Amino acid sequence: MTKSQNSFVTEITPQSEDFSRWYLDVVRRAELADYSPVKGCMVIRPYGYAIWELIQQELDRRFKQTGHVNAYFPLFIPESLIMREAEHVEGFAPQVAWVTKGGTEELEERLIVRPTSEAIVGTMYAKWIKSWRDLPVLINQWSNVVRWEKVTRPFLRTTEFLWQEGHTAHETEEEAEAETRQMLAVYKSFAEEFLAMPVLDGEKSSSEKFAGAARTYSIEALMKDGRALQAGTSHNLGQNFARAFEIQFQGRDKTLQHAWTTSWGVSTRLIGGVIMTHGDDSGLILPPRIAPYQVVIVPIQRGNWQETVLPSAQRVRQELHAAGVRVFLDAREEYTPGWKFAEWEMRGAPVRLEIGPKDIEKGQVVLARRDTRDKLPTPMDGLSGRVVALLDEIQQSLLDRARAFRDEHTARAGTWSEFREAMEGRPGFVVARWCAEADCEAAIKAETQATIRNLPFEQAVDGACVRCDRPAVRVARFAKAY
Ligand SMILES: [Zn+2]
């Protein structure tokens, strides 16, 4: 069976025609995920899961480096527990999945399937924390959560997804705030260094903060269709959950005090972010640091290639593997080299390595970059060093490109008419002064569909709100969002 290059590529809808279709085509064709018989749930396929594993490994390393340890809490949460924090219940109520029966018996107390773990973690922390000497508690868990969603899209919004949730408890408000900000910084550097996805860090407005939090911080990325994606959040929970769940400790001064807690999380949504930050009409473009295969070797099947080309390809594979490169040798006979080129382009492999009889005569291979499509004839001598350097170069160039795109699609608006024009004329972020009033935020959303993504930390604001005449108290970043 030989498939032509053309029939293959046309299976992806161009971005300019329908971005949302493009996204779904890439997810399915690149074999990242598939729909499942369970409504609203996806199956993460091995290629997609390999990306998640790479994300997980690096984040886990960074969490441990900042003093955290992993644990695991139950999937089920008794109804009475979640009811203890009123704002929290209200925030999650519409998305909760209930368990009412065990086997054939009606349960005495209904259980909910974990939408997030504050309630169960808080209950356990109340048992474990007695004295200031027990603090801080710095725990993370890798788990799945269930949020009953009406409209779903693979990786971006599904009823069940994978994530990590950090839950920490501290002696003082300052420590809790420092932890919240530290984890936001961990997310930001990870997103930029590993996913090559530039993000804006800042504080959420009151209406967008986590249910029950004192303050929520987020990182926000800009997708290629000009919509923003919330890529991670870190919450300072103040003493709200400690009061609700009675997490109390004897302080250094012997008084009984409530702990200060935080929580923070990122999810498989990051994979959706990577697809929409870097991909193009030919499919996925993966940053090398999270690519399951950083280099795919395609031997050119000519003449007796199995005796001539294949052994060289195998040697190259060994050499790259020994240099720590994730490499795949695509020696399948039933597909032509042209078909394989298109397939690995579509699946986003950062570098394709072509090797044929003529290359062997010249003592070289051809490296093809997925990001720029440049073809670089490269000597076999010193190949692994060159490939490692090239992967770093690609990683950096993807970040630069995404940052340039984000900056080009960020406008400043001083007046309401400028704001409307910027929001309707071109996708992206619009930065403007804001009065910090919820009714004004709601009016902006109703008129333009734009929400406040977050509020930058650096605050020098002078003048009136962009929408109403009240004095501005914050600068805000607006965008239409996923
Ligand atoms: Zn206003």
Side-chain angles (χ1 to χ4, degrees):
M1 176 179 62
T2 300
K3 295 187 179 175
S4 83
Q5 194 165 334
N6 262 346
S7 71
F8 195 95
V9 172
T10 49
E11 288 181 48
I12 294 178
T13 308
Q15 288 185 337
S16 55
E17 194 181 305
D18 185 343
F19 193 83
S20 162
R21 277 281 307 282
W22 169 85
Y23 177 81
L24 295 174
D25 287 348
V26 170
V27 166
R28 191 179 49 88
R29 290 293 301 111
E31 297 183 1
L32 298 173
D34 207 347
Y35 295 107
S36 80
V38 191
K39 194 172 176 290
C41 294
M42 64 175 168
V43 175
I44 305 176
R45 300 187 67 177
Y47 196 60
Y49 201 78
I51 297 173
W52 179 240
E53 284 179 314
L54 291 161
I55 289 174
Q56 198 178 28
Q57 281 160 20
E58 177 60 18
L59 277 174
D60 200 64
R61 195 185 67 76
R62 292 180 186 219
F63 296 158
K64 285 171 179 157
Q65 205 172 45
T66 43
H68 303 87
V69 289
N70 287 330
Y72 187 77
F73 293 84
L75 173 69
F76 300 121
I77 299 169
E79 182 171 13
S80 57
L81 284 193
I82 196 120
M83 291 305 173
R84 287 168 74 170
E85 217 292 329
E87 204 183 331
H88 191 58
V89 181
E90 207 182 301
F92 280 101
Q95 292 177 302
V96 159
W98 293 99
V99 178
T100 58
K101 266 189 177 179
T104 54
E105 281 173 34
E106 240 9 90
L107 298 182
E108 268 177 46
E109 180 178 7
R110 297 195 294 175
L111 301 172
I112 67 172
V113 182
R114 167 176 58 218
T116 184
S117 297
E118 272 72 12
I120 193 112
V121 168
T123 306
M124 300 313 294
Y125 282 12
K127 282 191 187 180
W128 300 339
I129 297 166
K130 299 292 173 209
S131 146
W132 63 270
R133 291 183 188 85
D134 300 325
L135 296 169
V137 174
L138 305 172
I139 289 179
N140 173 64
Q141 84 167 342
W142 290 97
S143 68
N144 56 348
V145 288
V146 167
R147 296 181 187 170
W148 216 259
E149 298 281 1
K150 292 199 176 76
V151 181
T152 60
R153 206 182 310 210
F155 295 115
L156 298 176
R157 201 173 287 280
T158 47
T159 294
E160 181 189 5
F161 57 91
L162 303 181
W163 80 342
Q164 59 70 216
E165 43 181 335
H167 294 274
T168 70
H170 306 264
E171 198 181 338
T172 65
E173 186 174 13
E174 294 69 37
E175 282 176 39
E177 178 64 14
E179 166 78 6
T180 313
R181 298 282 283 261
Q182 170 185 257
M183 299 326 286
L184 188 76
V186 166
Y187 289 153
K188 180 170 163 55
S189 61
F190 169 76
E192 296 182 344
E193 291 164 18
F194 262 69
L195 311 179
M197 186 168 80
V199 292
L200 298 168
D201 54 342
E203 187 180 345
K204 284 286 187 188
S205 66
S206 302
S207 75
E208 299 266 338
K209 76 177 166 62
F210 179 68
R215 275 186 297 285
T216 289
Y217 301 111
S218 73
I219 51 169
E220 304 280 334
L222 189 65
M223 304 295 99
K224 272 194 164 173
D225 64 345
R227 283 182 182 262
L229 183 82
Q230 178 178 293
T233 48
S234 186
H235 316 290
N236 183 335
L237 304 173
Q239 290 178 309
N240 298 343
F241 285 85
R243 287 184 199 282
F245 296 97
E246 289 160 24
I247 311 172
Q248 285 178 299
F249 66 97
Q250 193 179 52
R252 289 168 203 261
D253 61 0
K254 309 274 189 242
T255 63
L256 199 57
Q257 301 169 21
H258 285 102
W260 300 84
T261 67
T262 83
S263 70
W264 28 273
V266 296
S267 71
T268 34
R269 180 170 241 229
L270 290 176
I271 297 174
V274 166
I275 299 168
M276 294 192 292
T277 297
H278 303 297
D280 64 15
D281 283 349
S282 305
L284 198 58
I285 298 182
L286 289 172
R289 288 188 183 150
I290 54 149
Y293 304 124
Q294 297 169 310
V295 175
V296 171
I297 303 174
V298 179
I300 307 302
Q301 295 134 289
R302 231 171 254 140
N304 56 341
W305 70 282
Q306 276 156 321
E307 282 91 64
T308 55
V309 179
L310 194 57
S312 293
Q314 280 161 342
R315 264 198 310 280
V316 167
R317 188 182 70 82
Q318 275 308 326
E319 190 194 324
L320 292 179
H321 179 74
V325 175
R326 291 187 292 275
V327 55
F328 178 70
L329 169 57
D330 189 350
R332 293 176 294 174
E333 279 182 73
E334 65 272 33
Y335 297 103
T336 64
W339 190 90
K340 290 176 188 174
F341 292 177
E343 153 138 317
W344 289 109
E345 220 165 72
M346 188 270 297
R347 301 187 80 187
V351 174
R352 179 176 78 235
L353 188 154
E354 306 167 17
I355 181 166
K358 280 187 187 150
D359 298 311
I360 292 170
E361 272 170 36
K362 291 187 208 161
Q364 67 167 37
V365 299
V366 175
L367 301 178
R369 286 176 66 149
R370 173 62 178 93
D371 60 337
T372 58
R373 291 209 162 83
D374 289 344
K375 283 197 166 204
L376 317 159
T378 307
M380 281 209 217
D381 279 347
L383 181 66
S384 59
R386 178 64 196 123
V387 167
V388 169
L390 180 63
L391 291 170
D392 283 344
E393 211 177 302
I394 294 171
Q395 182 79 32
Q396 183 61 44
S397 120
L398 286 175
L399 176 63
D400 293 344
R401 198 153 91 174
R403 191 171 273 144
F405 176 85
R406 200 245 343 250
D407 293 347
E408 279 162 27
H409 291 84
T410 300
R412 294 190 167 268
T415 65
W416 183 237
S417 65
E418 278 172 28
F419 186 97
R420 289 197 68 127
E421 199 179 315
M423 202 48 89
E424 274 157 31
R426 60 206 293 262
F429 288 110
V430 177
V431 182
R433 292 186 301 266
W434 177 52
C435 60
E437 296 293 339
D439 63 333
C440 181
E441 184 181 3
I444 294 172
K445 185 179 178 182
E447 283 177 60
T448 65
Q449 292 176 317
T451 51
I452 293 181
R453 301 322 305 154
N454 62 25
L455 313 166
F457 291 121
E458 63 280 4
Q459 290 293 322
V461 61
D462 190 20
C465 170
V466 72
R467 170 70 178 68
C468 63
D469 287 329
R470 286 174 286 208
V473 296
R474 310 254 349 209
V475 170
R477 300 177 176 124
F478 296 85
K480 292 169 191 162
Y482 277 94

